[in-house]
Amino acid sequence: MSDGWHSDRAEPMTVGGGSTRLERRRAARQAQIKRRRRVALAAILVIFLLIVGTIVWTMRHTLMGSGASPEDYASGSPGPAVVVHITGTNNSDFAQNLVDAGVVKSVAAFNQAAGDKPISAGYYELRKAIPAAEAVDMITDPARSHRVGMVNVSAGAQLDDKRGKDNKVARGILSQISAATAHTSNGVKTQIPAADFVRVAATASPSDLGVPQWALATVNRMKGDHRRIEGLIAPGVWEEVDPSGTPVSILKSLITASAKQYEAQGLLSASRSSAAKLDPYEVLVSASIVEREVNQPADYPKVARVILNRLAKNQKLEMDSTVNYTEAVTSIDVRGEQLLKKTEWNTYAKTGLPATPIGAVGTSALVATENPAPGPWLYFVTVDAQGTTQFTDDFAQHERNRQTACDNKFLTVGCAPK
């Protein structure tokens, strides 16, 4: 007898021509096979494309390495000088700047010539239509003879040129900026005179100059005197001075960047554990004195403490560096007539801090002023050419220390006769 099943494994019969379970299984297997074939074909296609891409890349680089040269200018027929601002994150970016300026003919030629040589962003005076290798040599020249728009401000540098007792002139920051703008473009030689920067520093509005909020009071009060921005240009190698900019735009870029640098070094958040509380601008002024009074950074925190101790006692600072600030010739031996000059900076003639910083403030001096050493000192004197400085809170001992400097022939003014 049959109950509709042929065996334990037989498919059941269907009524009305419907498909059996076996047919459905076969259809499912065929669909699965088709899917697997499509996946396999897709994988094969991906592998094929990877192989083709690898072959193309290899052939391209093999050809480049075997002498198949990219487009390049011939040597011997350079065009006029032009200033190029090289920006970006890699050599291809730099190369595109040069192609756009007409200096080199192709990105590939520059990349091939540059290889793994380090390329620095910045402004360069180059020639149009030169071989890529020549452009690379100019840009990577260790003497930086083709760099323009670069200013190296040292710690303690002042706005104005200063002559020392040895008759050597230390170029001021404004003269250095002027020199950085000198360039030739399309046959025209251009340089912004230092006098233009002096005029703008004295007369431009603080907002146009990028003066930070914490320096506004002094800059506004001293309008007409270019020294009102003293200390607002920080030490460092400033590589992005646009030689085609204006005196206002150039000073603004430097002052704005310097303010950020000072603030990053803690100018706004430093706490002073002294009765002589200083605001951020006063901290900068005090640090500028620290910078120029001694030449050993290890002594900076002690000098900073001497300044704070004297301010707290309402005692004149009497710092030679503040007298020298307005002198045409600077000297460690400050003489009597110099001490009597009444200026906004002479701390022998006035009580308190000078009107402005007396130079660019380096990191070590600023940090030391923000974190002065604990101590009672009120006096200090450097006693030899090596920079040895002695500190004391006793005036009689200070006089003896000063005589040591005289005995060492480091000082000559105010020395006791032998």
Side-chain angles (χ1 to χ4, degrees):
M1 285 182 66
S2 173
D3 59 2
W5 294 87
H6 295 287
S7 69
D8 289 341
R9 295 183 181 181
E11 293 287 323
M13 300 297 292
T14 60
V15 181
S19 62
T20 66
R21 182 178 296 175
L22 180 58
E23 288 171 337
R24 290 196 298 275
R25 284 185 177 178
R26 287 174 179 169
R29 281 197 298 271
Q30 289 175 351
Q32 188 177 31
I33 291 170
K34 288 180 180 180
R35 285 195 300 272
R36 288 176 178 172
R37 286 176 178 171
R38 285 196 297 270
V39 172
L41 286 172
I44 292 171
L45 180 60
V46 170
I47 293 171
F48 174 78
L49 292 174
L50 287 173
I51 292 172
V52 170
T54 301
I55 292 172
V56 169
W57 185 90
T58 302
M59 289 179 63
R60 178 176 179 272
H61 284 263
T62 301
L63 287 172
M64 291 285 287
S66 63
S69 300
E71 286 190 305
D72 201 358
Y73 289 117
S75 61
S77 301
V82 62
V83 172
V84 185
H85 188 196
I86 295 180
T87 61
T89 58
N90 54 58
N91 282 3
S92 292
D93 291 341
F94 301 155
Q96 190 60 57
N97 298 150
L98 297 169
V99 171
D100 293 341
V103 174
V104 301
K105 198 166 189 178
S106 69
V107 170
F110 182 84
N111 284 343
Q112 189 179 56
D116 58 357
K117 292 180 181 178
I119 306 294
S120 298
Y123 289 91
Y124 293 84
E125 183 180 306
L126 305 169
R127 303 294 293 269
K128 287 188 174 183
I130 59 176
E134 189 174 328
V136 170
D137 288 343
M138 288 179 168
I139 293 170
T140 59
D141 175 16
R144 294 176 170 175
S145 54
H146 298 278
R147 285 297 296 265
V148 293
M150 174 184 281
V151 180
N152 188 353
V153 178
S154 59
Q158 297 176 335
L159 292 175
D160 296 328
D161 298 351
K162 284 297 176 73
R163 187 179 299 277
K165 284 188 68 176
D166 56 4
N167 212 35
K168 292 181 179 178
V169 175
R171 282 204 307 170
I173 296 172
L174 297 183
S175 290
Q176 292 181 58
I177 298 173
S178 171
T181 67
H183 67 281
T184 300
S185 183
N186 295 319
V188 179
K189 293 184 178 180
T190 306
Q191 179 176 350
I192 302 175
D196 287 5
F197 288 102
V198 172
R199 174 180 53 78
V200 165
T203 60
S205 71
S207 60
D208 286 345
L209 292 173
V211 174
Q213 183 68 35
W214 43 264
L216 275 180
T218 296
V219 174
N220 279 322
R221 180 176 65 82
M222 296 186 66
K223 184 176 182 180
D225 190 331
H226 69 283
R227 292 170 293 186
R228 64 185 181 149
I229 66 165
E230 187 73 85
L232 298 185
I233 297 176
V237 179
W238 301 102
E239 300 183 289
E240 296 291 326
V241 175
D242 185 354
S244 63
T246 66
V248 170
S249 68
I250 291 172
L251 289 179
K252 182 174 184 177
S253 68
L254 289 170
I255 292 173
T256 301
S258 296
K260 291 179 181 178
Q261 179 172 307
Y262 285 143
E263 290 167 12
Q265 293 165 352
L267 181 63
L268 301 183
S269 59
S271 60
R272 266 72 57 190
S273 57
S274 168
K277 298 296 183 181
L278 305 181
D279 64 33
Y281 186 74
E282 291 170 332
V283 170
L284 196 67
V285 175
S286 181
S288 73
I289 299 174
V290 171
E291 186 79 65
R292 295 189 68 89
E293 278 292 324
V294 290
N295 60 17
Q296 300 292 338
D299 290 328
Y300 287 173
K302 286 186 176 182
V303 176
R305 176 53 64 188
V306 170
I307 293 171
L308 291 175
N309 288 347
R310 287 196 173 197
L311 290 174
K313 292 170 64 71
N314 203 33
Q315 179 178 343
K316 289 180 179 177
L317 296 183
E318 297 183 337
M319 301 287 177
D320 292 354
S321 59
T322 66
V323 178
N324 273 316
Y325 178 71
T326 56
E327 291 295 309
V329 178
T330 60
S331 170
I332 59 171
D333 271 337
V334 178
R335 300 180 181 276
E337 65 273 13
Q338 295 171 311
L339 305 181
L340 299 176
K341 289 183 179 178
K342 291 186 177 181
T343 74
E344 294 241 35
W345 293 270
N346 184 0
T347 57
Y348 280 91
K350 64 172 288 187
T351 303
L353 291 166
T356 71
I358 58 173
V361 179
T363 302
S364 296
L366 182 58
V367 171
T369 305
E370 294 167 349
N371 303 278
W377 313 291
L378 290 170
Y379 312 96
F380 67 90
V381 61
T382 300
V383 298
D384 57 35
Q386 290 70 46
T388 305
T389 301
Q390 296 178 348
F391 295 80
T392 183
D393 61 344
D394 178 72
F395 184 72
Q397 180 59 49
H398 175 62
E399 288 289 278
R400 290 190 289 272
N401 293 341
R402 200 174 190 287
Q403 186 58 43
T404 299
C406 294
D407 295 342
N408 292 336
K409 294 182 170 44
F410 187 67
L411 294 178
T412 58
V413 175
C415 295
K418 292 257 183 169

